[in-house]
Amino acid sequence: MREGFGRKRVWFSAVGITALFLVILFLSVKITDITVTGNKKYDSDQIVEMLFPDSLSRNSGICYLKDRFEPHKKIPFVEDYKIVFRSMSQIDIIVYEKSMVGCVSYMSSYMYFDKDGIIVESASEKLPGIPEITGLKFGHIVLYEKLPVESAQIFSDILNLTQVLSIYKIESDQIRFSSNGSTTLHIGDIDVVLGGNNDLNGKISELSDIMPQIVGLSGTLYLDTYDEGNLNAMYAFKPRA
């Protein structure tokens, strides 16, 4: 009996020592190789700095435990992120950014909204690549609630326009909707009058062909006269004085 009890003690001691060694090893390894994907609003170095601000946070064991049992850090314009361990020293960070189609200026801030018009983020500075939408009439804005405009149809119009612009790789700094239903793009020092929201694909296709000829200029391009049936149409460009 005593011999069997002694063997068990030795076995439990060996297991305990092995477990302690593994815990020490787990908590001593540093994360040295980090790959970031899915990020557009922030570069990879910014994401790494926000998630791993000090040496302790790069500890492999601590990182794993915090990622599994604690809420993720809140990062502006980021819906969530996922940390995938490739080894104890190598991880992948997959970033899931909030979907935003435009922003409006409100009380010295820019309020960013998604395709449904829900305000998803606010910032004191305007982000590149997301157009400011002007000409809308709205009331009091509340974060995570719908932008209170007169007609929800405007969000579909904005989404359609930004999607077509994206297809042709055209970035607009600002999109202005007038009370008469006309839409104007601001691209650097050039204003592009689109008129109504009909034939958007054709108008933006024409804009894509014309842009190389007017890049660097200042003025207004009128595409509101676009006619799908007129293959030889000429569009007026009025230089700004």
Side-chain angles (χ1 to χ4, degrees), residues 67-117:
D67 181 63
R68 183 161 186 178
F69 298 108
E70 291 186 4
H72 280 177
K73 288 185 177 181
K74 297 294 184 182
I75 302 176
F77 304 105
V78 172
E79 189 71 40
D80 200 1
Y81 58 87
K82 182 179 181 181
I83 296 179
V84 179
F85 280 81
R86 290 190 284 131
S87 71
M88 293 183 69
S89 62
Q90 297 176 305
I91 64 170
D92 292 335
I93 301 174
I94 305 172
V95 178
Y96 302 98
E97 295 186 340
K98 293 180 178 178
S99 175
M100 296 173 288
V101 299
C103 68
V104 294
S105 179
Y106 180 74
M107 296 181 65
S108 302
S109 296
Y110 290 98
M111 311 297 287
Y112 293 84
F113 58 89
D114 64 13
K115 62 181 180 63
D116 298 313

Side-chain angles (χ1 to χ4, degrees), residues 1-8:
M1 290 289 292
R2 289 182 178 179
E3 183 179 351
F5 181 70
R7 289 178 178 176
K8 287 183 179 179

Side-chain angles (χ1 to χ4, degrees), residues 85-241:
F85 280 81
R86 290 190 284 131
S87 71
M88 293 183 69
S89 62
Q90 297 176 305
I91 64 170
D92 292 335
I93 301 174
I94 305 172
V95 178
Y96 302 98
E97 295 186 340
K98 293 180 178 178
S99 175
M100 296 173 288
V101 299
C103 68
V104 294
S105 179
Y106 180 74
M107 296 181 65
S108 302
S109 296
Y110 290 98
M111 311 297 287
Y112 293 84
F113 58 89
D114 64 13
K115 62 181 180 63
D116 298 313
I118 304 297
I119 303 295
V120 297
E121 197 63 73
S122 66
S124 59
E125 297 182 357
K126 184 179 177 300
L127 288 178
I130 300 177
E132 178 184 1
I133 309 301
T134 63
L136 303 183
K137 294 181 180 180
F138 49 82
H140 181 64
I141 293 180
V142 179
L143 196 60
Y144 309 126
E145 293 187 7
K146 198 163 188 172
L147 183 65
V149 294
E150 295 177 344
S151 173
Q153 176 61 37
I154 191 67
F155 300 123
S156 295
D157 295 339
I158 294 171
L159 178 61
N160 291 338
L161 179 53
T162 54
Q163 286 178 333
V164 176
L165 288 171
S166 177
I167 291 172
Y168 289 93
K169 298 180 179 180
I170 297 174
E171 281 195 10
S172 176
D173 312 311
Q174 185 185 106
I175 301 174
R176 185 175 74 244
F177 291 90
S178 65
S179 57
N180 64 4
S182 179
T183 303
T184 301
L185 306 178
H186 296 271
I187 305 173
D189 292 325
I190 297 173
D191 294 341
V192 182
V193 179
L194 297 177
N197 292 318
N198 57 306
D199 299 324
L200 278 180
N201 193 73
K203 292 175 182 178
I204 302 304
S205 176
E206 292 286 353
L207 174 61
S208 178
D209 292 338
I210 296 172
M211 279 300 295
Q213 305 170 37
I214 60 175
V215 66
L217 301 179
S218 176
T220 303
L221 174 66
Y222 294 90
L223 291 178
D224 52 337
T225 58
Y226 172 81
D227 180 0
E228 185 179 5
N230 188 352
L231 301 180
N232 299 309
M234 300 292 290
Y235 301 101
F237 178 79
K238 183 179 179 181
R240 188 170 291 118

Side-chain angles (χ1 to χ4, degrees), residues 26-27 31 52 57-70 72 83-85 88 91:
F26 185 59
L27 293 176
I31 297 171
F52 302 97
S57 61
R58 282 180 178 259
N59 182 284
S60 182
I62 291 176
C63 175
Y64 176 82
L65 293 173
K66 290 180 69 174
D67 181 63
R68 183 161 186 178
F69 298 108
E70 291 186 4
H72 280 177
I83 296 179
V84 179
F85 280 81
M88 293 183 69
I91 64 170

